[in-house]
Amino acid sequence: MTRPLAIISGAGVAGLAAAWWLDRAGWRTLSIERAEHLRGNGYMLGLSGLGYETACRMGIHDRLAAEAYEINENVYLDSRGREILRLRYRDFLKGLPYLAVRRTTLVKALQDVLPASATLRFSRQIAGFVDHGASVTVTLDNGEELACDLLIGADGARSALRRQLFGPDGTCLQPLGYYFAVYDLEAPKEFDTDFVSYAEPGHLAEYYSLNDGRLAAMHVWRDAAPGLEQQTDKAGLLATVCAQSHPKVRHLTDQLRVSGARPVIDSLTMIDLPRWSSGRVMLLGDAAHCLTLVSGQGAGMALASAEMLAEALAGSASVEEALARHEARLRPVTTRLQARSRKMAAVFIPQSRFAFHLRNIVMRNMPRSWLGHYFTRSLRSEIELARGNG
């Protein structure tokens, strides 16, 4: 008997995980990726909770653990180089399963375990589709037509398939009032810490030491202006953001411009849709419910969502029933994570100097055990909530 076929738009974390899990459910997959190869953005991400458990069940934990980064503490400095506080992660992550890895590492691990039933096709995009009820016809940008049993949009927060499915994004995009930039570059010789953050009102710059003598950098800053991610001179935009930052931050930003590298810049925008599917077409991962990096759970939820989808398909009488079951199980978890992101956004990077200093005083004097209890309780509640809706 021929296995049913799912076509997946996008070969990021969500798309690759879906290909792996759908094989377990008896499906074949064809992933359509517009880039020429798997994208290698080197920013750091954390796996914990549901995503960590899914990675273990996929058999990629040991691979990720071998390439994970041991971040003992994060030193926060202000724009003058004065120490604001130190967060020693193991002081409040005691006993909490957690992996800090580069996105590149996770994507490569997922690619390496893809089954024979999964096919990747690069440099192509989905131009359109027609849902016939019993099947879906997908048209690629070269005019080729393909028939499938399920079409999955896993093409990220700026999903083109989402617009094809539900129309213009409109109110489903919910900006949090921040932008972020990620890139990596050669580490200066004087850089001698694993993880350092330069914080100032309205802006945070973080640098992680990588094993290959490079730095993974991330900037997050407040700005409500729309469309900054469309600017062509992204390094120039970042230089403007860092104009009043610590000299080391400005130096590294200048180094970025000299290197010619192009940072990835986008707004922190959540996706809030009343539904994630229509007929035999569905959205997965950031395309459906982008949680933003404020939640710290984006990649993990992409992994967990793919597993839940496969379980729903394996245990349902029809594709439509499976998609409804998948959403009913996952939506309570993502709703809680999005609500937490909205609350945290207000204090993530304070805009005024008064709020900035007040936040620092609170963080400096808060017992680390309180933070540990908060994170542990939150992750356990999300796991229990997902299991309760299974």
Side-chain angles (χ1 to χ4, degrees):
M1 181 177 178
T2 302
R3 286 183 166 199
L5 172 67
I7 292 181
I8 303 172
S9 176
V13 174
L16 294 173
W20 193 92
W21 281 106
L22 263 63
D23 175 77
R24 297 287 292 268
W27 286 64
R28 297 172 295 135
T29 59
L30 169 61
S31 297
I32 306 297
E33 170 56 52
R34 67 178 182 177
E36 296 179 357
H37 48 73
L38 293 181
R39 299 177 185 181
N41 307 107
Y43 60 84
M44 301 291 289
L45 58 85
L47 280 182
S48 57
L50 289 168
Y52 183 96
E53 292 191 347
T54 296
C56 291
R57 286 189 285 271
M58 294 181 74
I60 61 174
H61 171 273
D62 291 350
R63 160 78 176 271
L64 297 177
E67 299 186 47
Y69 290 83
E70 185 69 28
I71 300 176
N72 294 313
E73 68 176 5
N74 183 4
V75 181
Y76 283 80
L77 306 174
D78 66 14
S79 59
R80 297 183 181 179
R82 297 173 299 190
E83 184 175 312
I84 298 173
L85 61 94
R86 290 174 179 259
L87 288 180
R88 294 179 176 85
Y89 284 86
R90 288 307 164 191
D91 288 351
F92 61 90
L93 292 178
K94 294 178 180 177
L96 182 66
Y98 179 86
L99 288 175
V101 298
R102 297 179 74 178
R103 180 186 179 278
T104 308
T105 300
L106 177 57
V107 168
K108 188 64 169 62
L110 292 171
Q111 180 188 25
D112 288 348
V113 296
L114 283 179
S117 64
T119 302
L120 290 174
R121 187 179 298 186
F122 295 100
S123 301
R124 290 270 73 91
Q125 297 184 62
I126 293 176
F129 66 87
V130 177
D131 188 343
H132 304 287
S135 65
V136 181
T137 298
V138 174
T139 303
L140 302 185
D141 55 353
N142 63 352
E144 182 180 1
E145 291 190 348
L146 304 168
C148 64
D149 302 279
L150 172 63
L151 175 58
I152 300 174
D155 48 345
R158 303 290 178 180
S159 171
L161 190 63
R162 182 179 63 235
R163 292 190 291 274
Q164 295 177 38
L165 181 61
F166 293 125
D169 284 332
T171 57
C172 83
L173 299 181
Q174 298 190 354
L176 296 180
Y178 298 88
Y179 282 86
F180 73 92
V182 291
Y183 56 93
D184 63 80
L185 71 170
E186 186 176 347
K189 294 181 179 179
E190 66 273 15
F191 196 92
D192 58 357
T193 184
D194 292 334
F195 186 9
V196 63
S197 298
Y198 291 93
E200 58 189 299
H203 176 221
L204 175 69
E206 296 189 331
Y207 301 97
Y208 306 79
S209 290
L210 303 177
N211 296 333
D212 55 2
R214 297 181 68 80
L215 292 180
M218 181 179 73
H219 298 255
V220 185
W221 68 96
R222 281 183 177 264
D223 197 324
L228 295 184
E229 73 280 357
Q230 298 175 11
Q231 292 193 16
T232 55
D233 184 8
K234 298 186 185 303
L237 170 62
L238 199 53
T240 301
V241 171
C242 301
Q244 304 300 319
S245 300
H246 188 276
K248 286 188 178 179
V249 175
R250 299 201 304 272
H251 171 71
L252 290 170
T253 306
D254 290 341
Q255 184 178 326
L256 172 67
R257 298 192 72 174
V258 171
S259 71
R262 289 176 55 84
V264 174
I265 294 182
D266 207 343
S267 62
L268 290 186
T269 300
M270 289 196 300
I271 309 299
D272 190 2
L273 290 165
R275 57 195 174 108
W276 299 334
S277 66
S278 177
R280 286 176 174 261
V281 185
M282 70 166 296
L283 303 173
L284 190 71
D286 282 351
H289 46 71
C290 183
L291 302 171
T292 80
L293 56 82
V294 178
S295 73
Q297 294 291 320
M301 287 309 301
L303 295 175
S305 179
E307 180 181 11
M308 293 179 195
L309 173 62
E311 291 174 350
L313 286 168
S316 300
S318 69
V319 169
E320 293 82 359
E321 177 188 330
L323 301 189
R325 289 180 60 181
H326 170 260
E327 182 165 340
R329 182 179 179 187
L330 186 63
R331 186 172 284 276
V333 182
T334 59
T335 297
R336 177 176 294 187
L337 285 168
Q338 287 189 330
R340 186 190 308 162
S341 293
R342 290 186 181 94
K343 292 178 182 178
M344 292 179 64
V347 295
F348 186 47
I349 302 178
Q351 182 70 45
S352 70
R353 291 194 175 277
F354 174 77
F356 177 74
H357 290 302
L358 181 61
R359 192 279 308 269
N360 294 341
I361 291 172
V362 171
M363 290 295 296
R364 190 180 296 121
N365 293 283
M366 179 184 294
R368 297 299 176 253
S369 60
W370 291 10
L371 284 175
H373 178 69
Y374 171 77
F375 283 115
T376 302
R377 183 182 61 184
S378 298
L379 291 171
R380 287 176 178 169
S381 67
E382 287 148 16
I383 293 172
E384 293 170 1
L385 187 59
R387 289 173 177 167
N389 286 279

